[in-house]
Amino acid sequence: DVDTSRLVLPIYLWVMWAFGVAELFQAVIDVVIPLHADDFDRTSRDPWIYSVLYGLVWGLYHFVLEGITFLLLQHGAGIRAAKRAARWAFLWALVTAGVMTAAFRTSPGEVGLLLQLGWQGTMFVAYMALRFLPLSVVFRRPALNQYALFWCGYRALNSVAITLSYLQYDAGACMNALSSWALFGLMK
């Protein structure tokens, strides 16, 4: 048995398990099929396998991340609300996996950059709307306010990092490390 008495809601235990599964999936892919700099290159042996696997990793992570968002948009926090949030999160995970698979497959290049920036921009606008639209337009739990602001900042920083990396500025790699490892890795 797991002691859930310190959790605000029992559903949070499932969220933590989902993060664990996503982390394990990422780790298995990183260990079994390590990514090298030229693996997304069109001349690589099989760039599709890397593109699909890393697209799936993104989709799985965003099933969890946006699953939290969809849960915080619910009036309740029970099983029905969790199932509804999971359905929406699954749809978004499919979109994310598809877009990121295409972005990784067409990287490095303008199409890959535009796909990534388009996805980041969509997320930025969505979280801005969720944070700043009046409660009369969109119901949200108070926790979503800080959650949305965090992801707005993260998406903006990450978009700049992606662009600088594409333009071959070293600062892009530094910003990517800051946003991906420090903010995403530690703060999630």
Side-chain angles (χ1 to χ4, degrees):
D1 275 342
V2 176
D3 179 21
T4 60
S5 64
R6 296 179 189 219
L7 295 175
V8 176
L9 296 171
I11 195 71
Y12 292 167
L13 180 63
W14 291 101
V15 172
M16 288 187 278
W17 275 106
F19 266 123
V21 168
E23 294 288 345
L24 183 61
F25 185 62
Q26 173 75 57
V28 167
I29 288 177
D30 286 342
V31 170
V32 174
I33 306 172
L35 181 66
H36 302 289
D38 63 346
D39 287 335
F40 292 123
D41 189 344
R42 291 188 184 99
T43 62
S44 181
R45 278 184 306 175
D46 193 2
W48 273 108
I49 189 75
Y50 294 100
S51 301
V52 169
L53 286 174
Y54 280 89
L56 287 174
V57 167
W58 272 67
L60 184 57
Y61 269 120
H62 287 278
F63 172 78
V64 179
L65 295 173
E66 275 66 64
I68 293 169
T69 301
F70 290 123
L71 187 61
L72 293 172
L73 289 168
Q74 304 295 314
H75 287 278
I79 298 298
R80 190 176 346 173
K83 286 180 179 179
R84 189 177 308 121
R87 282 192 298 268
W88 284 107
F90 180 74
L91 289 174
W92 185 247
L94 290 177
V95 169
T96 298
V99 170
M100 287 304 156
T101 296
F104 291 139
R105 180 60 187 98
T106 57
S107 292
E110 290 177 10
V111 173
L113 174 69
L114 292 175
L115 284 169
Q116 286 189 38
L117 290 178
W119 186 88
Q120 297 281 352
T122 300
M123 295 300 296
F124 178 82
V125 169
Y127 276 115
M128 287 291 281
L130 290 176
R131 171 57 185 95
F132 292 109
L133 283 174
L135 286 172
S136 61
V137 174
V138 61
F139 172 83
R140 64 183 168 271
R141 295 180 174 276
L144 188 56
N145 291 329
Q146 288 76 26
Y147 193 74
L149 282 177
F150 171 81
W151 288 114
C152 285
Y154 177 82
R155 296 289 161 220
L157 183 63
N158 202 252
S159 294
V160 172
I162 290 168
T163 304
L164 289 175
S165 293
Y166 174 77
L167 297 173
Q168 298 181 347
Y169 288 105
D170 292 337
C174 293
M175 287 179 74
N176 191 32
L178 171 69
S179 65
S180 294
W181 297 106
L183 292 180
F184 183 73
L186 296 176
M187 302 302 270
K188 69 177 173 188

